[in-house]
Structures are given as structure tokens and as C-alpha cells.
Short mmCIF file of all heavy atoms in Angstrom, two decimals:
data_model
loop_
_atom_site.label_atom_id
_atom_site.label_comp_id
_atom_site.label_asym_id
_atom_site.label_seq_id
_atom_site.Cartn_x
_atom_site.Cartn_y
_atom_site.Cartn_z
N ASN T 1 1.22 3.74 -4.04
CA ASN T 1 1.43 5.09 -3.67
C ASN T 1 0.42 5.54 -2.58
O ASN T 1 0.68 6.55 -1.87
CB ASN T 1 1.27 6.06 -4.85
CG ASN T 1 2.46 5.81 -5.83
OD1 ASN T 1 3.48 5.30 -5.48
ND2 ASN T 1 2.28 6.30 -7.07
N PHE T 2 -0.68 4.84 -2.46
CA PHE T 2 -1.65 5.12 -1.34
C PHE T 2 -1.35 4.26 -0.15
O PHE T 2 -2.07 4.36 0.88
CB PHE T 2 -3.03 4.77 -1.84
CG PHE T 2 -3.52 5.68 -2.97
CD1 PHE T 2 -3.25 5.51 -4.29
CD2 PHE T 2 -4.34 6.82 -2.61
CE1 PHE T 2 -3.74 6.30 -5.24
CE2 PHE T 2 -4.79 7.70 -3.60
CZ PHE T 2 -4.45 7.44 -4.96
N GLY T 3 -0.33 3.47 -0.20
CA GLY T 3 0.10 2.55 0.91
C GLY T 3 -0.43 1.13 0.84
O GLY T 3 -0.34 0.35 1.76
N GLY T 4 -0.94 0.75 -0.38
CA GLY T 4 -1.51 -0.61 -0.56
C GLY T 4 -0.49 -1.53 -1.22
O GLY T 4 0.50 -1.16 -1.83
N ASP T 5 -0.82 -2.86 -1.05
CA ASP T 5 0.07 -3.90 -1.67
C ASP T 5 -0.59 -4.34 -2.91
O ASP T 5 -1.74 -4.97 -2.96
CB ASP T 5 0.11 -5.07 -0.63
CG ASP T 5 1.00 -6.17 -1.14
OD1 ASP T 5 1.43 -6.16 -2.34
OD2 ASP T 5 1.33 -7.07 -0.41
N TYR T 6 -0.06 -4.00 -4.04
CA TYR T 6 -0.63 -4.37 -5.38
C TYR T 6 -0.60 -5.85 -5.63
O TYR T 6 -1.26 -6.26 -6.60
CB TYR T 6 0.02 -3.61 -6.56
CG TYR T 6 1.55 -3.82 -6.64
CD1 TYR T 6 1.99 -4.98 -7.25
CD2 TYR T 6 2.52 -2.86 -6.27
CE1 TYR T 6 3.36 -5.27 -7.44
CE2 TYR T 6 3.85 -3.10 -6.43
CZ TYR T 6 4.27 -4.27 -6.99
OH TYR T 6 5.61 -4.52 -7.18
N ASP T 7 0.12 -6.62 -4.82
CA ASP T 7 0.04 -8.01 -4.96
C ASP T 7 -0.88 -8.77 -4.02
O ASP T 7 -0.94 -9.94 -3.92
CB ASP T 7 1.48 -8.66 -4.75
CG ASP T 7 2.39 -8.45 -5.96
OD1 ASP T 7 1.81 -8.41 -7.12
OD2 ASP T 7 3.59 -8.31 -5.85
N ASP T 8 -1.61 -7.94 -3.23
CA ASP T 8 -2.60 -8.52 -2.26
C ASP T 8 -3.91 -7.74 -2.42
O ASP T 8 -4.33 -6.96 -1.55
CB ASP T 8 -2.06 -8.39 -0.86
CG ASP T 8 -2.92 -9.16 0.13
OD1 ASP T 8 -3.77 -9.96 -0.29
OD2 ASP T 8 -2.70 -9.02 1.34
N VAL T 9 -4.59 -8.02 -3.56
CA VAL T 9 -5.88 -7.34 -3.91
C VAL T 9 -6.97 -8.39 -3.91
O VAL T 9 -6.85 -9.42 -4.64
CB VAL T 9 -5.77 -6.67 -5.26
CG1 VAL T 9 -7.13 -6.08 -5.64
CG2 VAL T 9 -4.69 -5.60 -5.25
N THR T 10 -7.99 -8.18 -3.12
CA THR T 10 -9.19 -8.96 -3.09
C THR T 10 -10.30 -8.23 -3.85
O THR T 10 -10.45 -7.04 -3.70
CB THR T 10 -9.72 -9.17 -1.65
OG1 THR T 10 -8.65 -9.88 -0.87
CG2 THR T 10 -10.98 -10.09 -1.63
N ILE T 11 -10.97 -9.00 -4.77
CA ILE T 11 -12.10 -8.34 -5.42
C ILE T 11 -13.35 -8.91 -4.79
O ILE T 11 -13.51 -10.09 -4.54
CB ILE T 11 -12.02 -8.57 -6.95
CG1 ILE T 11 -12.03 -10.06 -7.32
CG2 ILE T 11 -10.96 -7.83 -7.61
CD1 ILE T 11 -12.23 -10.32 -8.81
N ALA T 12 -14.29 -8.02 -4.52
CA ALA T 12 -15.60 -8.39 -3.91
C ALA T 12 -16.74 -7.62 -4.59
O ALA T 12 -16.40 -6.52 -5.25
CB ALA T 12 -15.57 -8.04 -2.43
N GLY T 13 -17.88 -8.15 -4.50
CA GLY T 13 -19.06 -7.51 -5.15
C GLY T 13 -20.32 -8.08 -4.66
O GLY T 13 -20.35 -9.21 -4.18
N TYR T 14 -21.38 -7.28 -4.67
CA TYR T 14 -22.66 -7.73 -4.24
C TYR T 14 -23.64 -7.67 -5.43
O TYR T 14 -23.65 -6.79 -6.23
CB TYR T 14 -23.18 -6.87 -3.03
CG TYR T 14 -23.15 -5.40 -3.30
CD1 TYR T 14 -24.25 -4.72 -3.84
CD2 TYR T 14 -22.04 -4.65 -2.93
CE1 TYR T 14 -24.28 -3.38 -4.01
CE2 TYR T 14 -22.03 -3.23 -3.15
CZ TYR T 14 -23.16 -2.66 -3.63
OH TYR T 14 -23.10 -1.27 -3.89
N SER T 15 -24.57 -8.68 -5.43
CA SER T 15 -25.57 -8.79 -6.50
C SER T 15 -24.90 -8.82 -7.86
O SER T 15 -24.15 -9.76 -8.13
CB SER T 15 -26.58 -7.68 -6.32
OG SER T 15 -27.78 -7.93 -7.14
N ALA T 16 -25.19 -7.93 -8.77
CA ALA T 16 -24.52 -7.89 -10.09
C ALA T 16 -23.03 -7.79 -9.89
O ALA T 16 -22.28 -8.34 -10.70
CB ALA T 16 -25.04 -6.72 -10.91
N GLY T 17 -22.57 -7.07 -8.87
CA GLY T 17 -21.14 -7.04 -8.60
C GLY T 17 -20.60 -8.37 -8.21
O GLY T 17 -19.42 -8.65 -8.51
N SER T 18 -21.40 -9.17 -7.58
CA SER T 18 -21.01 -10.53 -7.26
C SER T 18 -20.80 -11.40 -8.55
O SER T 18 -19.87 -12.09 -8.67
CB SER T 18 -22.06 -11.21 -6.36
OG SER T 18 -21.68 -12.46 -6.00
N VAL T 19 -21.74 -11.29 -9.47
CA VAL T 19 -21.58 -11.94 -10.74
C VAL T 19 -20.32 -11.46 -11.47
O VAL T 19 -19.55 -12.21 -12.01
CB VAL T 19 -22.86 -11.67 -11.66
CG1 VAL T 19 -22.60 -12.23 -13.07
CG2 VAL T 19 -24.12 -12.33 -11.05
N ALA T 20 -20.11 -10.11 -11.35
CA ALA T 20 -18.97 -9.54 -12.04
C ALA T 20 -17.56 -10.12 -11.52
O ALA T 20 -16.78 -10.45 -12.31
CB ALA T 20 -18.96 -8.00 -11.89
N VAL T 21 -17.50 -10.16 -10.15
CA VAL T 21 -16.15 -10.66 -9.67
C VAL T 21 -16.01 -12.13 -10.02
O VAL T 21 -14.92 -12.67 -10.16
CB VAL T 21 -15.97 -10.31 -8.18
CG1 VAL T 21 -15.97 -8.84 -7.92
CG2 VAL T 21 -17.04 -10.98 -7.30
N ASP T 22 -17.16 -12.83 -9.98
CA ASP T 22 -17.11 -14.27 -10.33
C ASP T 22 -16.65 -14.43 -11.77
O ASP T 22 -15.98 -15.41 -12.09
CB ASP T 22 -18.53 -14.89 -10.07
CG ASP T 22 -18.51 -16.37 -9.60
OD1 ASP T 22 -17.36 -16.78 -9.16
OD2 ASP T 22 -19.56 -16.96 -9.54
N LEU T 23 -17.14 -13.58 -12.70
CA LEU T 23 -16.69 -13.65 -14.05
C LEU T 23 -15.22 -13.11 -14.23
O LEU T 23 -14.49 -13.72 -15.06
CB LEU T 23 -17.59 -12.78 -14.93
CG LEU T 23 -18.98 -13.36 -15.16
CD1 LEU T 23 -19.94 -12.28 -15.83
CD2 LEU T 23 -18.93 -14.59 -16.04
N LEU T 24 -14.79 -12.13 -13.44
CA LEU T 24 -13.46 -11.64 -13.55
C LEU T 24 -12.48 -12.75 -13.24
O LEU T 24 -11.39 -12.87 -13.79
CB LEU T 24 -13.21 -10.48 -12.61
CG LEU T 24 -13.79 -9.14 -12.98
CD1 LEU T 24 -13.92 -8.18 -11.82
CD2 LEU T 24 -12.97 -8.57 -14.08
N MET T 25 -12.85 -13.72 -12.38
CA MET T 25 -12.04 -14.84 -12.03
C MET T 25 -11.80 -15.76 -13.21
O MET T 25 -10.77 -16.47 -13.30
CB MET T 25 -12.73 -15.63 -10.90
CG MET T 25 -11.91 -16.70 -10.28
SD MET T 25 -12.74 -17.43 -8.90
CE MET T 25 -11.58 -18.71 -8.46
N LEU T 26 -12.73 -15.75 -14.19
CA LEU T 26 -12.68 -16.62 -15.36
C LEU T 26 -12.00 -15.97 -16.57
O LEU T 26 -11.74 -16.62 -17.59
CB LEU T 26 -14.04 -17.11 -15.73
CG LEU T 26 -14.91 -17.81 -14.66
CD1 LEU T 26 -16.22 -18.34 -15.28
CD2 LEU T 26 -14.10 -18.94 -13.98
N SER T 27 -11.79 -14.72 -16.53
CA SER T 27 -11.36 -13.92 -17.70
C SER T 27 -9.88 -13.83 -17.79
O SER T 27 -9.14 -13.42 -16.81
CB SER T 27 -11.92 -12.51 -17.64
OG SER T 27 -11.41 -11.75 -18.74
N ASP T 28 -9.33 -14.12 -18.96
CA ASP T 28 -7.85 -13.94 -19.21
C ASP T 28 -7.45 -12.48 -19.06
O ASP T 28 -6.30 -12.24 -18.66
CB ASP T 28 -7.48 -14.47 -20.58
CG ASP T 28 -7.54 -15.93 -20.67
OD1 ASP T 28 -7.51 -16.61 -19.68
OD2 ASP T 28 -7.70 -16.51 -21.82
N MET T 29 -8.35 -11.57 -19.37
CA MET T 29 -8.00 -10.13 -19.28
C MET T 29 -7.61 -9.79 -17.80
O MET T 29 -6.83 -8.83 -17.58
CB MET T 29 -9.18 -9.20 -19.66
CG MET T 29 -9.36 -9.12 -21.19
SD MET T 29 -10.74 -7.95 -21.57
CE MET T 29 -9.91 -6.38 -21.14
N ALA T 30 -8.25 -10.46 -16.81
CA ALA T 30 -8.08 -10.02 -15.41
C ALA T 30 -7.00 -10.86 -14.68
O ALA T 30 -6.86 -10.65 -13.47
CB ALA T 30 -9.40 -10.10 -14.70
N LYS T 31 -6.31 -11.76 -15.33
CA LYS T 31 -5.38 -12.62 -14.70
C LYS T 31 -4.29 -11.80 -14.04
O LYS T 31 -3.74 -10.87 -14.66
CB LYS T 31 -4.77 -13.66 -15.66
CG LYS T 31 -5.63 -14.83 -15.84
CD LYS T 31 -5.06 -15.89 -16.66
CE LYS T 31 -5.89 -17.18 -16.80
NZ LYS T 31 -5.37 -18.14 -17.67
N GLY T 32 -3.86 -12.13 -12.82
CA GLY T 32 -2.77 -11.43 -12.13
C GLY T 32 -3.17 -10.14 -11.47
O GLY T 32 -2.23 -9.48 -10.91
N LEU T 33 -4.41 -9.75 -11.52
CA LEU T 33 -4.83 -8.49 -10.96
C LEU T 33 -5.35 -8.64 -9.57
O LEU T 33 -5.69 -7.59 -8.99
CB LEU T 33 -5.79 -7.80 -11.92
CG LEU T 33 -5.29 -7.48 -13.34
CD1 LEU T 33 -6.32 -6.83 -14.21
CD2 LEU T 33 -4.04 -6.61 -13.25
N PHE T 34 -5.65 -9.87 -9.07
CA PHE T 34 -6.17 -10.00 -7.76
C PHE T 34 -5.82 -11.43 -7.28
O PHE T 34 -5.42 -12.32 -8.08
CB PHE T 34 -7.71 -9.82 -7.76
CG PHE T 34 -8.38 -10.75 -8.71
CD1 PHE T 34 -8.80 -11.98 -8.48
CD2 PHE T 34 -8.63 -10.24 -10.01
CE1 PHE T 34 -9.43 -12.80 -9.42
CE2 PHE T 34 -9.29 -11.01 -11.02
CZ PHE T 34 -9.63 -12.34 -10.70
N ASN T 35 -5.94 -11.68 -5.95
CA ASN T 35 -5.56 -12.95 -5.43
C ASN T 35 -6.64 -13.60 -4.51
O ASN T 35 -6.38 -14.71 -3.98
CB ASN T 35 -4.24 -12.94 -4.74
CG ASN T 35 -4.23 -12.05 -3.49
OD1 ASN T 35 -5.20 -11.37 -3.22
ND2 ASN T 35 -3.19 -12.07 -2.70
N LYS T 36 -7.76 -13.02 -4.36
CA LYS T 36 -8.92 -13.52 -3.63
C LYS T 36 -10.20 -12.96 -4.16
O LYS T 36 -10.18 -11.86 -4.69
CB LYS T 36 -8.77 -13.21 -2.11
CG LYS T 36 -7.55 -13.90 -1.41
CD LYS T 36 -7.41 -13.51 0.01
CE LYS T 36 -6.96 -12.00 0.12
NZ LYS T 36 -5.56 -11.77 -0.33
#
């Protein structure tokens, strides 16, 4: 609704946010919610 593609979501983070996105990649809870 904001003009974005929900199938083309990159997650990024710095420092603790970097650890967080690295862990999101391993979590079953987050599967299918991002592609990079």
C-alpha cells in the first residue's frame, strides 16, 4: 500500500542489528519474509 514489493524485501542491520539480521536468516519464524 506504500508502493513496495512485499516479495522483494532486504533486511539489513548494523552492529547488534547485524547480528539480528544474521539470526533472522536462521529462524523458522522469519522464513519467507525477506530475500536478501
Side-chain angles (χ1 to χ4, degrees):
N1 292 342
F2 293 86
D5 184 349
Y6 60 76
D7 282 329
D8 191 11
V9 175
T10 301
I11 56 172
Y14 52 90
S15 194
S18 181
V19 173
V21 298
D22 215 11
L23 288 169
L24 285 163
M25 188 174 177
L26 305 184
S27 175
D28 288 340
M29 281 185 73
K31 279 187 176 178
L33 300 178
F34 55 88
N35 63 351
K36 294 175 290 292

